Amino acid sequence: MRWIRRRLRRRFFTTDYLHTIHCLFFDMTEKFANKAAWIRAKRGPVVIDDAPTPELAEHQVRIKVAYTGINPLDAKLQSFDVFPIKFPAILGLEVTGRVVESHCPNFSVGDTVLASLDALSGPQYGGFQKYTIAQMGHIAKISDDADLLKVVTAPVALFTTVYFFTKELHLDLPDMSNLSPATTKGTVLVYSGSSATGAAAIQLAVQAGYKVVTTSSSRNADYVRSLGPHVVIERTSEDHIISALKAELPYIAVYDNFGTVDTGNVIAQAIGKGTIITLVPYSLPSKFNDVVVKFQATPERHLSPSAKKFLIEDYFPLISKPGSTVFKFQPGRLLGGLDQVQAGLNEQLKGVSATKLIIAPNQGSNGC
């Protein structure tokens, strides 16, 4: 009789165990039921369809996405051969949301976060889906009552700008103990101040103690002035821009946020010699032999430990607090859910300035 009872216990235990695993599996599947805005082939249209939720690797978290910012690179990746990317793909490079699963010791389920995503490495890392995967070093924990719609305008801009400051422009980052220092460190040119990266560069440079010269269209000039630069040159004519830029020489760093041959020509004529750091690669005519153009793809992957600490542990948590005035976020415009991704990419490709287009992937569900 004793052996019968042991076999019955094992049988019931096994049955109960299998039932538990079965329930957990289907509960997780339902919890992470994913939809995404897919691009099936190069230059193909966006298609809304189911998406997998792969197992997390070490130092990764799964985020239920509240908002995803549309960046110029998203539109270019769909329409042009700017970077190698495998299709089918899910784009979207920056998100805010909440952690629903974590294999990272610094993050727990329920944490409110922002993240810069590596969408070029695979569809599971794109932001145009209900659930995405982010890697430690590209995620920041922020206040639970942060305005996620506002904050989503900043991750890519700040990760990118901090990289360029520390690695390419050789500029100091702000001292967190004194964000209103005297202007003592030389003049920095931030060409095109109304872009997300331009706005971030202006504010970081001013907070670090540099004199900032920038350019803007007349339409966006008031917004750009509100960011705190010392000189705003309105782009009324090429001759005016070149003359005004020459009047502020010398520059210890030149940062081209527009990134075209035309802007490069203007800057090169103004500075005569030196280095232009650009967000988009281009080559100058041979007559500008004394001007070097440098470009770095996906720069946010290469932040130094000290730069990551500044941004992830100090700056992002501070600027995302409700009521904080340390950083002026770019105005955002919410387009809608995943069904609006293609419309947003089309609009971005035509040109958007001083505004971040935003998608809410979980719109219509229970939210984050």
Side-chain angles (χ1 to χ4, degrees):
M1 294 296 293
R2 189 175 303 167
W3 66 270
I4 294 176
R5 285 196 297 269
R6 283 200 299 269
R7 291 193 61 179
L8 284 173
R9 280 198 298 268
R10 282 199 296 267
R11 179 183 173 188
F12 289 138
F13 171 79
T14 304
T15 302
D16 185 59
Y17 175 76
L18 291 174
H19 175 73
T20 301
I21 294 299
H22 174 87
C23 291
L24 284 172
F25 173 79
F26 282 101
D27 179 62
M28 294 288 279
T29 303
E30 183 179 353
K31 182 186 294 185
F32 300 143
N34 201 13
K35 289 279 187 183
W38 288 92
I39 299 175
R40 299 293 189 189
K42 186 183 298 184
R43 297 181 178 84
V46 167
V47 177
I48 310 303
D49 203 351
D50 293 338
T53 51
E55 289 293 321
L56 297 181
E58 189 178 10
H59 302 309
Q60 291 183 342
V61 302
R62 195 182 315 278
I63 300 170
K64 185 176 184 182
V65 180
Y67 299 107
T68 307
I70 298 179
N71 285 273
L73 182 57
D74 290 311
K76 291 173 183 176
L77 286 169
Q78 182 185 32
S79 300
F80 306 112
D81 297 324
V82 288
F83 294 120
I85 182 171
K86 292 182 179 180
F87 293 93
I90 301 171
L91 303 179
L93 303 170
E94 60 188 345
V95 298
T96 54
R98 288 191 171 83
V99 174
V100 293
E101 186 181 6
S102 177
H103 284 187
C104 180
N106 298 334
F107 296 90
S108 302
V109 171
D111 284 345
T112 304
V113 296
L114 60 78
S116 175
L117 301 175
D118 189 14
L120 277 69
S121 292
Q124 66 269 39
Y125 305 114
F128 296 136
Q129 55 186 323
K130 291 187 173 186
Y131 297 93
T132 190
I133 295 175
Q135 187 78 25
M136 187 174 72
H138 306 282
I139 322 162
K141 193 182 304 184
I142 58 177
S143 171
D144 287 339
D145 53 356
D147 184 341
L148 300 185
L149 181 63
K150 180 175 74 173
V151 173
V152 79
T153 65
V156 165
L158 279 170
F159 269 103
T160 301
T161 301
V162 166
Y163 166 80
F164 279 117
F165 266 45
T166 56
K167 292 290 189 177
E168 302 293 345
L169 296 165
H170 307 295
L171 299 175
D172 296 332
L173 293 175
D175 179 351
M176 292 298 294
S177 66
N178 181 15
L179 293 174
S180 300
T183 304
T184 59
K185 294 183 178 179
T187 303
V188 174
L189 171 58
V190 179
Y191 199 94
S192 186
S194 65
S195 67
T197 50
I202 289 169
Q203 295 177 84
L204 287 179
V206 169
Q207 291 169 356
Y210 297 99
K211 177 181 177 181
V212 177
V213 175
T214 191
T215 64
S216 171
S217 66
S218 296
R219 178 167 60 92
N220 294 324
D222 287 343
Y223 163 69
V224 173
R225 288 189 182 95
S226 75
L227 302 172
H230 301 84
V231 178
V232 177
I233 300 168
E234 294 188 30
R235 297 194 299 270
T236 54
S237 72
E238 185 173 301
D239 288 343
H240 168 68
I241 300 170
I242 294 171
S243 175
L245 289 175
K246 284 182 176 180
E248 301 298 332
L249 288 169
Y251 299 105
I252 63 170
V254 177
Y255 187 29
D256 181 5
N257 292 275
F258 204 79
T260 67
V261 174
D262 290 339
T263 60
N265 284 340
V266 168
I267 296 170
Q269 289 181 68
I271 65 175
K273 62 180 179 179
T275 300
I276 302 171
I277 304 299
T278 178
L279 285 179
V280 182
Y282 58 81
S283 298
L284 291 174
S286 58
K287 64 180 179 179
F288 297 117
N289 288 330
D290 292 330
V291 179
V292 176
V293 178
K294 293 183 67 177
F295 163 76
Q296 171 65 54
T298 58
E300 66 274 9
R301 298 183 191 177
H302 308 294
L303 290 183
S304 67
S306 61
K308 285 184 179 180
K309 180 186 181 303
F310 164 80
L311 196 52
I312 292 170
E313 298 181 22
D314 299 331
Y315 203 70
F316 273 134
L318 176 63
I319 66 174
S320 62
K321 288 181 179 178
S324 173
T325 59
V326 170
F327 184 84
K328 190 178 181 71
F329 290 90
Q330 189 177 46
R333 175 155 55 90
L334 180 61
L335 301 180
L338 291 172
D339 60 339
Q340 294 301 306
V341 170
Q342 186 62 70
L345 293 173
N346 293 344
E347 184 175 350
Q348 185 70 65
L349 196 61
K350 291 176 183 176
V352 177
S353 63
T355 303
K356 175 76 72 172
L357 305 179
I358 299 170
I359 296 296
N362 278 283
Q363 189 175 82
S365 67
N366 293 327
C368 276

